[in-house]
Amino acid sequence: MTLKKHMLNRRELIQNIAAVSTVRAVGGVGAQQSRSISVAERVLALSDMAIELTRQGWSRPERNCRSKGKSLTIGHRQFKSGLGTVADSILQIDLKGAAKAFSAWVGPDAVGGPSACVRFYVVVDGRVAVRTPAIKGGSAPVQIFVNLKGAKKMLLVVDAAGHHTWNNYADWGDAAITLQAHATALPEAQRYEPDMSVPEIAHGNSEQPEFHGPQAIGTTPGKPFIFRIPVTGSGKINLSVTGLPAGLELNQQGVLRGSVEHGGSYKVEIVARNHLGRTSRRLEIRAGERMLAQTPPMGWSSWNAFGVNVDQEKVWRAADLLVRSGLAGKGYSFVNIDAGWTGQRNSAGRIMPDKTKFPDIKALIDHVHALGLKFGLYASPGPEDCGGFIGSYGHEIQDIQTYAQWGVDYFKYDWCSYGQTITATPKTAEYIEPYAIMGQAIGTVDRDIVFSLCQYGMADPWKWAAGPQVRGNLWRISDDLIDFWASVCVNGFHCDRNIAAYAGPGHWNDPDMLVVGTMDFTNAGLGFPGKPQPSRLTPLEQQTHITLWSLLAAPLIIGCDLSKLDPFTLDLLSNTEVIAVDQDVLGKQAQCIKQIGCIQIWARPLADGTAAVGIFNLGPVAEKASVRWSELTVILPRDMVLSGKQPTRDLWMRRNLGHRDGLDMELPSHGSMFVKVGRPRPAVGR
Ligand code: GLA
């Protein structure tokens, strides 16, 4: 007799278990040491527990089978009982002092195919009792056995072992808890509540004037130029500039406007003064052909906050809030509308906004420009975009001309339905074609437009998107980023050394918009929550997310509702030193230089001769991490030798840590440390 029925009441369950007399063979980690049990034992199958409480980023935990009635299958072996989940996932079990042992066969489910890769952990009372190696899709199941005598709490954890994909389906096959002979209570599955405490990070701004954001910006001579100087400080701040190229001027609102008359590199000196002091900064204006996005674009997009319910009022307010919250003062300058703005074409084929949502898009764009900010729009090369709205297919040149007339400065072009127009198994050239058509068209309009490719990394866009054919400035490398840990891992930690070299001034890998703050993924069509809610990443994971994006030189496009900004989100988005790493003018994307167990160390060289280093714990429990600065030589240019003790600065705390030759620390699960190492070279001559 086995326990098949799921929702038996507690009393029935205890009675049933008492009657169970099952003989099972269980072993240690791996198939090495099988142990046979000759006596009758009382066994509680995992599938008879409340496995729906499993916390996993997407999809649902499955009992005894995969959706559409497929069995749980690891390698060639099928399991009638067990839990089917997707990495990263975690289930907590209160053992009630009743357990003797836990056993299971684990591995990636066949449904994930050969590219899946997962690792299983059993954490008992805060200690990792079992950690399997990374198990690849197609591998035979691995048998695990854990002694639970005296244990109180068990966590069943699956992660991606650093191989993050969306298809990391993972099974706990024939998983069961063997009970103590005289146990009266029963182990109980519980929802794992992650640590939601807010990490300590620097808060607020200095009262003295301070500059932020990019130190190099690009423009095409003769085309409109607009740049709101990112500066903070208390009271009235007076700005003055010297060395401006002919054609530009600084207005009363601290915005540089005009159009640069001649190509060249202009070193502009900006001075900011308030009643407390003065500071200056060198801003380089690079005027020439194809000079946009000298540093990764920073701004806000409507998608994560409003989905297709975006409208003129919401975007208008977002632009105002970008200024009022101080985020524009930190360098966030684009206000982008994603899917949901489009109406129909008029009789001349000209694209029109949906008038019910955007009664006067030109007025909105003028308002954004009046604030010194820039405006972005979205469309698809296909007949329809991902929201089902009209795409640019067959109207590419006409559309981009319309956008340029409206004053669009940033254009996101999303593959969506384009696949319907080409062969079922497209060659790389077919992936490139729609972007080349639009890229060339953008080059013909009399306005600078940052070109953002969105096709989820198909056919390795990093290899061709920035080339002369397409002229892209950034390209998505993966699927949409959602607010859960596995997604941050898929998009962020996947952005590794194979593609790092493709990023640089003018062309960036894009792991997608930021998922901190209050968002609403209802309209993302992914079956996620039906109401605005704070990021489901824990505060620590949010900090790790921003740390990683900064190291990756990722575009920093805020995705949250700015009217619901909480102080922690604001601090995360506006830490000037973290932004400075992202915006560093050398434009070198970080690479993972070292991995020890669950710890990954990423680093990037910076223009001032220092290095930014991120230390991450991707595992399920706190881990000791150690890094020596001498290890950074793998990624540093030859003239940047960081030997011996180096000045080390905690970027999130904005605090010096003294002179060190490395760092040793204990990092919480999914936590990170972000430091800058080395003595900055003097600015002169850079
Ligand atoms: C795709 C993109 C998202 C967003 C939506 C809009 O999913 O990847 O960033 O633009 O479409 O429908």
Side-chain angles (χ1 to χ4, degrees), residues 303-304 308 338-340 378 385-388 412 414 416 454-456 476 478-481 512-513 523-524 526:
W303 181 247
N304 290 349
V308 294
D338 208 282
Y378 163 100
D385 71 21
C386 299
K412 174 173 166 184
D414 189 357
C416 303
C454 176
Q455 46 82 286
Y456 340 116
R476 283 272 299 278
S478 46
D479 275 319
D480 295 13
L481 182 69
D512 205 5
M513 299 170 280
N523 301 300
L526 294 164

Side-chain angles (χ1 to χ4, degrees), residues 440-487:
Q440 297 295 327
I442 288 175
T444 65
V445 297
D446 57 4
R447 194 169 182 90
D448 274 338
I449 298 181
V450 170
F451 189 23
S452 160
L453 281 74
C454 176
Q455 46 82 286
Y456 340 116
M458 296 183 295
D460 300 352
W462 41 88
K463 293 187 181 153
W464 47 263
Q469 243 187 317
V470 175
R471 305 164 169 218
N473 298 111
L474 59 155
W475 49 86
R476 283 272 299 278
I477 56 155
S478 46
D479 275 319
D480 295 13
L481 182 69
I482 312 291
D483 56 338
F484 59 85
W485 176 247
S487 183

Side-chain angles (χ1 to χ4, degrees), residues 317-519:
R317 197 169 51 216
D320 289 343
L321 285 168
L322 207 58
V323 174
R324 221 177 307 140
S325 63
L327 288 165
K330 293 298 173 89
Y332 293 91
S333 60
F334 288 98
V335 176
N336 296 348
I337 306 182
D338 208 282
W341 67 271
T342 331
Q344 298 300 318
R345 293 188 183 281
N346 70 11
S347 54
R350 189 176 160 97
I351 191 80
M352 310 291 281
D354 176 341
K355 287 276 177 203
T356 61
K357 293 171 164 177
F358 291 90
D360 191 348
I361 200 160
K362 186 72 177 77
L364 172 63
I365 298 174
D366 289 348
H367 176 66
V368 170
H369 287 160
L371 294 170
L373 303 176
K374 287 173 268 202
F375 184 82
L377 213 53
Y378 163 100
S380 169
E384 285 182 357
D385 71 21
C386 299
F389 303 94
I390 285 184
S392 287
Y393 190 67
H395 291 267
E396 294 82 357
I397 295 171
Q398 188 184 19
D399 283 358
I400 201 70
Q401 284 172 349
T402 304
Y403 302 152
Q405 279 165 12
W406 288 349
V408 167
D409 308 292
Y410 181 110
F411 181 57
K412 174 173 166 184
Y413 208 32
D414 189 357
W415 181 267
C416 303
S417 68
Y418 187 79
Q420 297 163 12
T421 70
I422 52 171
T423 50
T425 48
K427 299 210 165 48
T428 300
E430 290 173 275
Y431 284 107
I432 298 176
E433 193 180 4
Y435 292 95
I437 292 171
M438 188 50 90
Q440 297 295 327
I442 288 175
T444 65
V445 297
D446 57 4
R447 194 169 182 90
D448 274 338
I449 298 181
V450 170
F451 189 23
S452 160
L453 281 74
C454 176
Q455 46 82 286
Y456 340 116
M458 296 183 295
D460 300 352
W462 41 88
K463 293 187 181 153
W464 47 263
Q469 243 187 317
V470 175
R471 305 164 169 218
N473 298 111
L474 59 155
W475 49 86
R476 283 272 299 278
I477 56 155
S478 46
D479 275 319
D480 295 13
L481 182 69
I482 312 291
D483 56 338
F484 59 85
W485 176 247
S487 183
V488 169
C489 291
V490 171
N491 285 26
F493 290 105
H494 167 86
C495 203
D496 60 8
R497 65 176 61 224
N498 298 326
I499 63 172
Y502 295 97
H507 43 93
W508 308 100
N509 289 308
D510 177 9
D512 205 5
M513 299 170 280
L514 305 175
V515 286
V516 298
T518 296
M519 295 160 294

